[in-house]
Structures are given as C-alpha cells and as structure tokens.
Amino acid sequence: MGIVKLVSVAVSADMLEEGLSYPFNGDSALGRIIIGGLLGFGSFLIVPAIALMGYLVWVLDGAARGEEEPPAFENWGDMIVDGLKATAVTIVYGIVPFVLMLISIFVAGSGGTTGNETATGILGGIGLLGLLLSFVALFVLYYLIPAALTNMALEDDFGAAFDFNTIKQVILSGDYLVAWLIPFVLAAGVQILLTAVTFVLVLSIVGILALPLLLIVGPFIQFYVQVAAFYMFGVAFGKVVDVPGAVTEDSAAL
C-alpha cells in the first residue's frame, strides 16, 4: 500500500507540474494569456464567454491527443460554434438538477401555506432532501462534464457528449479522478487566495486604491488556471481512451 501511495503522489505531482507549465508552452504564450484574459474580462457580453468556452474545448482536444502546446486563438467562427455546443451540453446535463432544485424549493415553500405544522414539517423536510440531492447531482455533473466535452471534441460530434459507455470508462478511472481533484483543489485555492487578498485590500486605504488592479488581473489568472485544469482533464481522458491521431513520443520525435 505504501508503494502505491508513493506512486500515486508522484503521478499527481507530475500531472500538476505539467498542467501548471502547459499554458506557457510555445512562443505565443503571453499573447494567448492576454487574449484569454480579455475574453474573461468581457464575459458579461456573452459572446466572449462562449468563445472562451470553445477555446477550452480545444484545450481538452489537444491535451487528449498529446499535443504539447495550447491551441492558438484562430478560426474564431469555429471556436464560437464549439463554445455554443459546450454550453448546450452543460445546459442539457444541468436540466435534471435544476428542475429538482426548483421542485424542492416549491415543495418546501408550499408547506407554509397548509396551515398545518405537521404538513409544514414534512414538506419542508422533503424540500430540504430534494435540495441536498440537487447539490449532489450538480457535484456529479461537475465531475462528469469535462469528460463529456472531451469526447465531443475528439469525435467532433455533439452526440458524443452523451456516449455514456465511453464517458463511464473515463470517469471511473484513477487517472481521471486525480486529474479532477488537482484542478478542483487548485481552483478552490486560487479563489480563496483572491478573496482573501481582496478582503485585506478593502480594509486598507492603499488596498482600496490597488483593488481595481486586482480586478483587472483576476481574469488573466482565472484563464491561466482554467487552461491548466482543462489540460489535466484532457490528458487523463487520453490515458484511458485510445485516441485516434494522438501524438506519441515516437511521432513527436519525428
């Protein structure tokens, strides 16, 4: 068991190191990060957010195929189309927990209109249970959706996002679990750090003056973390599934 744990830690460390360095690979790293950060900054306009989602789908595709450099920001029309597909996949998968959440809130709220304390308690309990189940479902989807999007990207087919045979094979693998846990912890850590820094800055006069700078830099940091995380998702998928046209060490040497 000790050897297995050591190997697991080593694999996790290697994956984290590769993921964190991946956004900087290639000659156009700075330009990509600037463009990605600007898209994140303008996400409230919706179209930039869709384009950014399409780019992240491309990251999944390239990482699963073993490509060492992030994709370039080009062919914007195709990128937006892929972003729309990814958004649609996310919406479809999110329908069940969203509907369950709405029903749970309605059931819990309707308890107060009965005028009966027993009925209020029962309906409130049912509503609370439904909310808990909906949050569990959302958590499961957060785990599943990167695999679904990767399969869609590799097959270049919207329906592949719902190929549950392939997706199940991936999400039940140890490689994918590790690849999911690392970005989850990384993203949570970055978010906590940014929140803490923002809180500290708000409490000081100098900090208040520096706060706008943090708000400007934030989208660029977020883009970097997203690319690193999606790279790890894609690599894990490629380790489990036989990806046509994948770049191997031998082909890369040629």
Side-chain angles (χ1 to χ4, degrees), residues 169-239:
Q169 177 186 354
V170 173
I171 64 177
L172 294 181
S173 68
D175 287 321
Y176 186 81
L177 176 61
V178 171
W180 182 85
L181 286 174
I182 293 175
F184 180 78
V185 174
L186 178 63
V190 170
Q191 188 61 49
I192 292 172
L193 178 61
L194 289 176
T195 302
V197 171
T198 302
F199 181 74
V200 172
L201 291 177
V202 168
L203 296 180
S204 65
I205 296 177
V206 176
I208 292 176
L209 297 177
L211 187 57
L213 178 61
L214 179 63
L215 295 176
I216 292 174
V217 174
F220 298 92
I221 298 176
Q222 184 178 27
F223 173 74
Y224 165 77
V225 172
Q226 287 176 325
V227 171
F230 275 63
Y231 167 80
M232 287 183 257
F233 291 142
V235 167
F237 192 103
K239 288 182 178 180

Side-chain angles (χ1 to χ4, degrees), residues 33-206:
I33 293 175
I34 290 176
I35 295 174
L38 291 175
L39 289 175
F41 195 76
S43 291
F44 65 94
L45 296 174
I46 300 179
V47 174
I50 293 174
L52 182 57
M53 191 65 198
Y55 180 81
L56 293 175
V57 170
W58 289 4
V59 170
L60 290 170
D61 181 74
R65 296 183 188 279
E67 297 175 2
E68 296 183 356
E69 294 185 13
F73 277 101
E74 55 188 15
N75 300 323
W76 287 84
D78 293 339
M79 190 187 304
I80 291 174
V81 169
D82 285 339
L84 287 171
K85 290 180 181 178
T87 302
V89 168
T90 304
I91 291 173
V92 171
Y93 271 111
I95 288 177
V96 173
F98 180 72
V99 171
L100 179 59
M101 187 178 298
L102 288 180
I103 294 175
S104 301
I105 293 174
F106 174 77
V107 171
S110 64
T113 64
T114 61
N116 185 298
E117 292 185 2
T118 302
T120 299
I122 293 175
L123 291 175
I126 294 174
L128 179 60
L129 178 60
L131 284 174
L132 290 176
L133 289 175
S134 65
F135 285 127
V136 171
L138 286 173
F139 192 77
V140 171
L141 290 184
Y142 184 75
Y143 182 77
L144 181 151
I145 286 178
L149 294 180
T150 305
N151 202 41
M152 180 190 75
L154 290 171
E155 299 294 335
D156 192 21
D157 177 25
F158 180 78
F162 307 98
D163 178 4
F164 296 111
N165 288 331
T166 300
I167 293 172
K168 184 176 76 170
Q169 177 186 354
V170 173
I171 64 177
L172 294 181
S173 68
D175 287 321
Y176 186 81
L177 176 61
V178 171
W180 182 85
L181 286 174
I182 293 175
F184 180 78
V185 174
L186 178 63
V190 170
Q191 188 61 49
I192 292 172
L193 178 61
L194 289 176
T195 302
V197 171
T198 302
F199 181 74
V200 172
L201 291 177
V202 168
L203 296 180
S204 65
I205 296 177
V206 176

Side-chain angles (χ1 to χ4, degrees), residues 5-39:
K5 288 183 178 179
L6 287 175
V7 172
S8 177
V9 170
V11 171
S12 301
D14 289 342
M15 183 176 290
L16 177 60
E17 181 180 357
E18 292 175 4
L20 294 178
S21 62
Y22 173 76
F24 296 116
N25 291 346
D27 297 331
S28 305
L30 180 59
R32 287 193 304 266
I33 293 175
I34 290 176
I35 295 174
L38 291 175
L39 289 175

